[in-house]
Amino acid sequence: MDKIIIEGQNPLSGTVSISGAKNAVLPIMTAALMADGISRIDRVPDLRDTRTMIKLMEIVGAKCSFEKGSLKIDGSSVDNPEAPYDLVKTMRASFYVLGPLLARFGSVKVSLPGGCAWGPRPVDFHLKGLEKLGAKITLSSGYIMAEAKRLKGAKISFEFPSVGATGNIVMAAATAEGTTVIENAAREPEIVQLCEYLNTMGASIQGIGSTRIIIDGVDSLHAADIEVIPDRIEAGTFLIAGGLLGEIELTNVNPSHLDSLLLKLKEAGCGIHTSANSIRINPADNLKPVDMTTAVYPGFATDLQAQWVALMTVASGSSVITDTVYHDRFSHIPELNRFGANIKSDNNTAFVRGVNELIGAPVMSTDIRASASLIIAGLIAKGQTTVSRIYHIDRGYEKIEEKFRALGANIIRDNSPG
Ligand code: EPU
């Protein structure tokens, strides 16, 4: 199994180009299943999750070709509205086929995702929302079956602005009969892009980017092309590494998607300079401890919480980090403590006492973002770090070790057997 080996404390410098966003491309791919024709998606990151979604597209009957970041999906041959357990269990985002396939076929069968590495992640908002639209939902042998001849517009109010449930309901409602209003909708840039993409496919969606989305159902959608937005979480991961390790510049990035992280980095003592599509960071001379609480967009992203904890391990004092989106997303803490970090957690809060230095250690990835935090810790630490189970990182980061190596890090992938 591949490992990443890092010799820490090499300064970083130079430019890194940010890839297309994983969490934008995955729902966009499922939206393409709603059209009878070929949609082209550009700037698609070559990730394990993108490949898993391509596999799922092919299982449902779509024809796909993926070359040099350009993905073509032909939705005209889609004929098998079913997402099998084997794929859904490896990638929860497979659940995004539920809304589009139900809308197009009037019935769909999708494996119920189980728990994930950091605890339960229910899908009740997706299901309640579809029921409001008139779907009959049943659960049998671990599969959700949803049926509706044609969905009907309804008013849906989410208890929490779930990204996935907003995406699924927007897609399902795009071709429903009548108007759907979603209250307390997610405002994440990835959801904004999904709605904009559906509009280019012929949907009629208003209130995009607000907490109230209004969808006037249309009879059908047509194929359309799109370029995926930059990955704000990949960008944030590099910025957090730069916060301590060197002056780096990110290109092909959208700084306005990263406002809350940039504020925190400034508070910690880093220099930040932005232009329309680049961000330069100068590391802090004396990294200050900065408390942080995750929140839905435009708050600090939960997907950057683990990386922020890694940075705070060497701040000049104590910080308190709370995750309000996921209450138990802390599997990175025991691994970070293996570097000599001083972190304790209680419920959804981590208490980090800054130490003078981290010392490299063998550690294990547990999920995508936890892995990124271990790589950051390995880059900061003195001596050698080996990060195992890096298939997690390959799910969400394109060539992360090559990008860090180009910035001057001493980091390699070891794929020797055993
Ligand atoms: N929730 C429910 N019921 C639901 C849906 C969500 O209780 O039916 C709860 C969740 O348990 C969680 C909160 O609502 O406490 C937010 O979950 P959300 O539905 O917004 O998350 P998601 O759509 O499953 C996406 C990203 C995650 C990211 C979260 C939060 C994709 C493919 N995944 O997940 O990304 O952490 O939004 O921003 O877009 C990652 O990229 O590493 C990742 C985990």
Side-chain angles (χ1 to χ4, degrees):
M1 220 179 278
D2 291 10
K3 296 185 191 88
I4 280 182
I5 302 172
I6 304 167
E7 286 293 335
Q9 295 193 336
N10 262 22
L12 303 183
S13 68
T15 301
V16 58
S17 173
I18 298 305
S19 301
K22 166 178 89 74
N23 291 345
V25 75
L26 298 175
I28 285 172
M29 288 168 73
T30 66
L33 294 179
M34 295 181 75
D36 222 354
I38 301 176
S39 296
R40 201 186 77 219
I41 311 172
D42 286 325
R43 203 186 187 195
V44 174
D46 192 354
L47 306 169
R48 194 181 260 257
D49 274 12
T50 327
R51 299 271 175 185
T52 304
M53 192 58 102
I54 291 175
K55 220 183 268 174
L56 181 52
M57 301 282 102
E58 289 171 344
I59 286 175
V60 301
K63 291 198 182 74
C64 298
S65 75
F66 183 32
E67 223 179 313
K68 293 189 187 139
S70 186
L71 172 65
K72 284 190 189 136
I73 300 175
D74 184 351
S76 48
S77 50
V78 173
D79 59 358
N80 176 35
E82 179 171 337
Y85 176 61
D86 280 353
L87 288 188
V88 182
K89 78 171 187 221
T90 59
M91 187 185 70
R92 299 175 59 84
S94 314
F95 210 65
Y96 268 129
V97 295
L98 186 66
L101 292 181
L102 175 61
R104 184 160 172 199
F105 291 98
S107 79
V108 60
K109 185 174 168 190
V110 178
S111 169
L112 189 64
C116 86
W118 71 82
R121 284 173 71 191
V123 288
D124 51 331
F125 303 160
H126 304 238
L127 302 181
K128 282 185 211 156
L130 289 177
E131 276 177 336
K132 280 254 166 101
L133 296 179
K136 184 171 164 262
I137 310 257
T138 48
L139 172 69
S140 171
S141 307
Y143 278 79
I144 296 288
M145 252 87 78
E147 280 175 33
K149 248 193 187 138
R150 186 170 178 198
L151 296 166
K152 285 204 169 59
K155 188 168 170 188
I156 294 165
S157 185
F158 288 130
E159 281 164 55
F160 186 91
S162 156
V163 172
T166 303
N168 244 330
I169 298 302
V170 165
M171 290 190 276
T175 55
E177 190 186 323
T179 301
T180 299
V181 178
I182 306 178
E183 303 280 4
N184 205 18
R187 300 165 59 198
E188 272 65 8
E190 295 76 19
I191 291 297
V192 168
Q193 186 168 47
L194 173 66
C195 293
E196 286 168 349
Y197 179 55
L198 289 164
N199 277 352
T200 60
M201 295 175 80
S204 172
I205 306 174
Q206 288 150 57
I208 298 175
S210 79
T211 55
R212 185 165 198 260
I213 299 181
I214 302 149
I215 307 129
D216 287 314
V218 296
D219 286 340
S220 63
L221 300 181
H222 54 79
D225 300 342
I226 189 163
E227 185 181 294
V228 178
I229 54 170
D231 194 312
R232 62 194 169 101
I233 307 302
E234 187 201 18
T237 302
F238 278 98
L239 286 170
I240 291 172
L244 196 69
L245 289 165
E247 180 179 331
I248 59 174
E249 183 170 31
L250 276 54
T251 55
N252 298 317
V253 64
N254 185 336
S256 69
H257 291 167
L258 285 148
D259 280 348
S260 30
L261 171 66
L262 297 181
L263 272 175
K264 290 289 172 191
L265 285 166
K266 282 182 197 162
E267 251 184 81
C270 305
I272 302 283
H273 307 273
T274 60
S275 76
N277 59 4
S278 74
I279 306 176
R280 186 155 47 83
I281 180 160
N282 291 90
D285 292 336
N286 172 24
L287 188 75
K288 293 187 203 129
V290 178
D291 296 346
M292 183 279 282
T293 299
T294 69
V296 296
Y297 189 82
F300 195 104
T302 173
D303 290 342
L304 289 170
Q305 178 259 106
Q307 300 89 316
W308 189 257
V309 172
L311 183 65
M312 287 297 106
T313 60
V314 286
S316 58
S318 299
S319 54
V320 179
I321 289 146
T322 302
D323 199 322
T324 67
V325 178
Y326 292 110
H327 290 185
D328 35 19
R329 195 178 194 178
F330 283 132
S331 58
H332 43 288
I333 289 182
E335 297 301 306
L336 288 172
N337 282 340
R338 293 176 52 77
F339 289 91
N342 183 345
I343 316 170
K344 294 194 169 60
S345 65
D346 185 17
N347 291 316
N348 64 336
T349 299
F351 301 90
V352 188
R353 210 173 265 246
V355 294
N356 284 338
E357 68 176 0
L358 300 182
I359 306 291
V363 288
M364 192 173 78
S365 295
T366 48
D367 76 73
I368 307 176
R369 310 304 170 187
S371 318
S373 81
L374 299 180
I375 289 182
I376 291 173
L379 294 171
I380 294 172
K382 186 173 172 185
Q384 193 178 82
T385 291
T386 307
V387 186
S388 56
R389 298 206 181 162
I390 55 160
Y391 51 86
H392 289 291
I393 201 133
D394 294 334
R395 290 188 52 195
Y397 288 86
E398 198 175 38
K399 302 192 180 109
I400 191 167
E401 76 282 10
E402 286 179 30
K403 288 189 178 185
F404 270 121
R405 202 163 48 241
L407 292 173
N410 187 341
I411 175 171
I412 54 159
R413 179 179 292 252
D414 173 9
N415 48 16
S416 56

